Amino acid sequence: MNAPFLPILSIVDPLLADNQILAPIPQLNTETELSPIKRSKIWELKEANRCPIVGTCLSKDELIRFARRFHFEASITDVFLLHVEAVNCVATRNPASEAIQKYLDSKYQTALTRFESAKTDAAVFDLWKKCFVQGEIAGALWAALTHKRISDDTRGKIYADMHMHSHHMGANQAADTRRLAQLEKEYAELETAMELQKQHHSRIEAKLRLRFQEALAESEHLRHNQKEIVALKARLSAIESGKTMTEMGQRLMKLSMENERLKSVAHQADNLDQLLQDAHNQIAALIDECKVLTTERDALERFLLSDSSCKDSCNHPNAHDTSQLKDCCVVCVGGRIAQLPQYRMLAEQMGIRLTHHDGGQQHALSRLPEMINSADAVICPTDCVSHAAYYQLKRLCKRHGKPCLLFKGKGVASFASALIRLSLGQVSLNADTRELLAEGISK
């Protein structure tokens, strides 16, 4: 039986006096077979049987889960009142008792299968006794008390076993508690002694390790000195034999040859220095040429800007629509910061109020919703903007129905071409709703 419910049987005993559970039980005829056609449900049992089932077969946590599920009136912290309310609850057939019946059948399916082999009341009791002696109580209790061949007398015997078992368990638990307290005290004392011994051993080990490291260092120093002594002895022998002078002459000859080779290398290095200087001069010339080409490129972009405007005015059937962007607010997301003055100059020439967001480099992305919502249209150079700003402006333009033109190109000419395309209703988002552009421009 679970520890929290050990005193339950003794508390409920007075309530069961009228059932005469502890009265002398007549001897069963073990040869007589009973003939119920099905297992008993928990609400079909007597209270004397329901009480030990709830107290033994359901753990404290399981009882609390059922109490919460079916909204018991008793406090979750009062296990005894939860037990009493559960016993009363399973006295009749209701959703709670049916759920407990189903749960216990599932939990103790192994015990139920084992007890199916018992075909008589006596066989059920014998199997119960075997499980009881082996300590397999909870599952055997559920399987025996609900068995289709068990009699009320046998249920009374099982109750008596459980009743005495609860008393014995209570006494044993008290003794075990006292023994556990003594063992915990002894364990704490031993742990303290072991910790002190461990600290003592640690100090000794630290001292030994220090001495060992000092011995290793001394040994290494002696080994190094021994090697130096051997080398000095060898050099002294070589000098005394005249071999050293011969070797010095050979080394001098080699150094002389190496000196001549280095002079040749130095001459080659001088030549390389001259070549490097020439290369630097060529690079400087290329840089100057690059600056000239950059100036020419900027002039060409301005030319292309004016030329593109002329061609669009001549060839496009709605060329007069370029004036539709006049006095409108267009927000540019991304682009080169250094060319922002040129962007603004071009926009002013076309009569456009241009606002700019750098795409998250210095400007916070949180400003985008407000800027896009207050603008009439949006343009974005896709090769000069962050991914986060790109996807956010697409979402915002779709949400607010803002005309948006996405284009490739970082130069001023690309920017000017984008403004002209936008004025002609050529947008990347809401491409089929050119009326939105007209409505946005006419605000």
Side-chain angles (χ1 to χ4, degrees), residues 150-433:
I150 193 171
S151 65
D152 288 340
D153 292 338
T154 302
R155 287 193 178 103
K157 291 181 179 181
I158 293 175
Y159 173 82
D161 289 340
M162 291 298 298
H163 182 84
M164 296 309 299
H165 178 70
S166 67
H167 289 310
H168 295 157
M169 287 294 293
N172 293 336
Q173 186 176 14
D176 290 342
T177 301
R178 290 192 297 273
R179 180 57 180 164
L180 178 61
Q182 180 64 25
L183 290 175
E184 287 179 345
K185 180 180 178 182
E186 294 176 359
Y187 174 77
E189 293 174 353
L190 289 174
E191 191 174 35
T192 302
M194 288 182 63
E195 183 64 25
L196 293 175
Q197 190 69 16
K198 183 179 179 180
Q199 294 175 2
H200 178 66
H201 288 166
S202 297
R203 289 192 294 269
I204 294 176
E205 182 183 2
K207 292 179 180 179
L208 291 176
R209 287 184 179 277
L210 180 60
R211 291 177 60 185
F212 178 70
Q213 294 296 333
E214 292 174 352
L216 284 179
E218 185 66 21
S219 175
E220 183 65 25
H221 180 67
L222 292 175
R223 188 180 299 109
H224 181 69
N225 290 342
Q226 185 66 28
K227 290 181 179 179
E228 289 184 350
I229 291 172
V230 172
L232 290 173
K233 286 182 177 180
R235 290 181 62 186
L236 180 60
S237 299
I239 291 172
E240 290 177 349
S241 64
K243 182 179 179 181
T244 302
M245 298 300 296
T246 304
E247 291 178 352
M248 291 181 63
Q250 294 174 352
R251 289 181 60 188
L252 180 60
M253 185 178 297
K254 289 181 180 179
L255 290 174
S256 299
M257 295 174 61
E258 183 68 16
N259 184 44
E260 293 296 330
R261 189 184 68 81
L262 290 176
K263 287 181 179 180
S264 176
V265 170
H267 180 69
Q268 294 177 3
D270 292 338
N271 294 335
L272 290 175
D273 285 339
Q274 184 62 39
L275 293 175
L276 180 61
Q277 184 63 39
D278 295 341
H280 280 305
N281 295 336
Q282 293 178 3
I283 291 173
L286 290 174
I287 291 174
D288 294 338
E289 183 179 356
C290 181
K291 291 180 179 179
V292 173
L293 291 175
T294 300
T295 304
E296 293 178 355
R297 182 204 63 192
D298 293 339
L300 180 59
E301 285 183 348
R302 289 192 294 272
F303 172 78
L304 290 175
L305 174 61
S306 60
D307 185 59
S308 176
S309 300
C310 292
K311 288 183 178 180
D312 289 341
S313 300
C314 295
N315 299 329
H316 200 278
N318 297 323
H320 60 280
D321 291 341
T322 56
S323 62
Q324 290 185 1
L325 285 177
K326 187 173 183 181
D327 297 328
C328 291
C329 179
V330 177
V331 60
C332 176
V333 181
R336 290 178 174 174
I337 304 299
Q339 294 181 348
L340 183 58
Q342 300 179 39
Y343 293 168
R344 294 189 184 280
M345 180 184 68
L346 288 172
E348 290 175 0
Q349 290 177 357
M350 297 179 68
I352 297 172
R353 291 184 292 108
L354 180 68
T355 59
H356 179 260
H357 190 286
D358 64 6
Q361 296 180 16
Q362 296 180 356
H363 299 165
L365 292 179
S366 58
R367 295 181 55 197
L368 269 180
E370 179 184 357
M371 295 179 67
I372 291 178
N373 189 40
S374 61
D376 298 310
V378 182
I379 61 174
C380 173
T382 57
D383 51 355
C384 195
V385 69
S386 68
H387 287 80
Y390 172 77
Y391 289 114
Q392 185 172 353
L393 76 89
K394 287 184 67 176
R395 262 194 325 269
L396 293 171
C397 288
K398 289 181 179 179
R399 181 185 305 168
H400 299 292
K402 297 293 182 179
C404 176
L405 177 63
L406 306 174
F407 65 95
K408 290 186 177 180
K410 306 175 183 179
V412 179
S414 299
F415 177 80
S417 177
L419 289 180
I420 294 174
R421 289 171 57 194
L422 182 64
S423 67
L424 297 176
Q426 299 178 9
V427 293
S428 303
L429 300 178
N430 302 328
D432 296 332
T433 56

Side-chain angles (χ1 to χ4, degrees), residues 89-104:
C89 182
V90 298
T92 60
R93 185 172 184 176
N94 54 70
S97 61
E98 289 180 347
I100 293 175
Q101 173 78 28
K102 183 178 179 181
Y103 178 77
L104 293 178

